[in-house]
Amino acid sequence: MPWTGYTLNDFLLFAPETYQRLFIRYHEAIWPLQIPVVIAMLVIPWLILRRGGVEPRMMRIALPILAVVWVWIGTDFLYQRYGEINWAAVWPAAGFMLQGVLLLATAFAEPEQPASVRVPPAARDAGLLVMSAAVILLPLAAPLSGRPWLSAELVGVTPDATALFTLGLLALKPLRLRLLLLPVPLLWCLFSTLTQIAMDWPDAWILPALAAAAVAATLLPREKVAGR
């Protein structure tokens, strides 16, 4: 068969039902760890935005928290569990572990934000919107699309929601090292979107749309504050 005769479905290594059962078994295995992890994720935007504007120093607290969950998802979910149904999962698993290292390194290696640089309001609002969607919209996408509740994505627990949440957070970072943290979550969103399209999920557009909004906000130039 010529390459033009293939579709994304032909490259899928598992049935959609198998993918859903993967999430269900994962949620059942780690329960009730989801509760404190999601609460920790909710604390991050509060820390950064608690005074109305972006507090760059709070990034030194937020990024290590994210680093831990990226490494955890990479090892426990992607490598040990997803790898059972998809031999190629070893590559995104390595990417998630790398992202954890980069987040931790950036938290302590990045210099203090100059007083003359700030995050533009448009980037701040878009980042907060994407983070909120990762926390609220993605978990609802599964049941609203006819999939079981236990197959839902949760921030800090599963890959899609965590990658999207991270992209939203990067829109709030003032300095250039934020660009170093873009590739891995962006590549995962692309990989996951293609997987969802192959499984004919009606909500496959949500992840790429929100990821694109977060990336656009992250790429906005940072503002120079006059007189500082």
Side-chain angles (χ1 to χ4, degrees):
M1 180 185 295
W3 280 103
T4 54
Y6 287 96
T7 65
L8 282 176
N9 305 70
D10 297 313
F11 296 96
L12 199 62
L13 300 177
F14 45 82
E17 295 77 14
T18 303
Y19 192 69
Q20 291 178 30
R21 285 196 300 271
L22 168 70
F23 279 81
I24 292 171
R25 291 199 306 268
Y26 175 58
H27 281 301
E28 291 175 342
I30 67 171
W31 175 260
L33 193 57
Q34 294 94 329
I35 296 174
V37 171
V38 171
I39 291 174
M41 294 297 100
L42 292 174
V43 168
I44 289 177
W46 176 80
L47 281 174
I48 297 172
L49 300 168
R50 59 186 179 143
R51 295 182 180 176
V54 176
E55 290 195 49
R57 291 182 180 179
M58 292 297 102
M59 285 286 181
R60 296 189 186 277
I61 299 176
L63 294 184
I65 295 174
L66 272 179
V68 171
V69 299
W70 273 85
V71 172
W72 174 41
I73 293 170
T75 55
D76 189 23
F77 180 80
L78 292 176
Y79 184 74
Q80 296 185 19
R81 301 174 192 272
Y82 193 21
E84 292 181 354
I85 65 172
N86 184 356
W87 60 265
V90 63
W91 299 110
F96 266 64
M97 292 179 230
L98 173 63
Q99 182 73 3
V101 173
L102 292 176
L103 285 164
L104 191 60
T106 303
F108 298 104
E110 191 170 43
E112 290 286 341
Q113 175 196 359
S116 59
V117 178
R118 71 178 181 186
V119 177
R124 180 197 63 212
D125 295 344
L128 186 58
L129 176 64
V130 170
M131 293 169 76
S132 301
V135 173
I136 300 171
L137 181 59
L138 284 195
L140 292 175
L144 290 177
S145 300
R147 301 190 298 276
W149 270 102
L150 279 179
S151 67
E153 287 273 349
L154 292 178
V155 170
V157 178
T158 56
D160 288 9
T162 303
L164 189 62
F165 185 89
T166 303
L167 288 174
L169 180 67
L170 294 182
L172 306 181
K173 279 185 67 60
L175 299 181
R176 291 182 179 178
L177 281 182
R178 69 188 186 278
L179 302 181
L180 180 66
L181 301 173
L182 270 180
V184 174
L186 192 56
L187 285 172
W188 171 260
C189 287
L190 175 60
F191 176 79
S192 185
T193 296
L194 293 175
T195 301
Q196 293 176 24
I197 293 174
M199 293 188 294
D200 295 321
W201 284 10
D203 54 330
W205 60 272
I206 295 177
L207 185 62
L210 291 171
V215 171
T218 302
L219 295 178
L220 284 175
R222 277 24 191 170
E223 297 178 344
K224 297 288 186 179
V225 181
R228 295 192 180 183

